[in-house]
Amino acid sequence: MRSTPESPEAAETARRARFGKLPERIPLEEMVEERAATVPDPAKDTYNADE
């Protein structure tokens, strides 16, 4: 795969530069999206039994 062999120290340095730090945490509030399950029906409460 590679054309030039790297020394173990150079390979370790490159690996640490790429994978040495975990990504920053994402807050739960940014991972969850809340939406209504259905669209509110405007005709739902229009019936009045007294009329």
Side-chain angles (χ1 to χ4, degrees):
M1 291 274 162
R2 293 183 179 167
S3 59
T4 58
E6 294 183 12
S7 67
E9 295 84 19
E12 182 179 354
T13 303
R15 187 171 45 252
R16 285 194 184 270
R18 184 173 180 191
F19 302 111
K21 183 178 144 187
L22 293 174
E24 301 214 5
R25 292 177 90 55
I26 299 173
L28 182 63
E29 295 82 26
E30 293 183 15
M31 291 191 280
V32 177
E33 179 180 347
E34 295 182 6
R35 286 195 247 164
T38 59
V39 178
D41 184 13
K44 177 182 173 187
D45 298 320
T46 57
Y47 177 75
N48 186 350
D50 294 331
E51 288 184 355

